[in-house]
Amino acid sequence: KTVRSGATANIGWVTGGIDSCVISSPTLSGFTQENANNTSPSGGATTPSLTTNTQFVLSCTTKAGMLKIASTTVLVE
């Protein structure tokens, strides 16, 4: 996904066989803290205004207790 500088992005996810998921960003501690209690296996989050390319990481725990991780980068033009 690409957004203009200063814009926000919506990140959504739908999973199967997952108990819980948490969205975070290695570079946006405020975003990570804001979404720490959102553990829905299917959901979404709105990023803050972005001015540089930013990575987001979805960490999920399966019903069997295994950790699955997916990541995406929002590009800023």
Side-chain angles (χ1 to χ4, degrees), residues 4-66:
R4 293 189 184 279
S5 182
T8 62
N10 293 317
I11 299 175
W13 59 93
V14 177
T15 64
I18 296 293
D19 192 46
S20 65
C21 291
V22 175
I23 186 81
S24 64
S25 172
T27 56
L28 298 175
S29 59
F31 174 85
T32 298
Q33 291 172 356
E34 209 173 277
N35 289 282
N37 294 324
N38 176 10
T39 59
S40 174
S42 298
T46 301
T47 72
S49 298
L50 302 175
T51 55
T52 60
N53 296 350
T54 307
Q55 183 184 27
F56 295 90
V57 179
L58 186 68
S59 302
C60 298
T61 303
T62 68
K63 293 188 183 298
M66 309 244 343

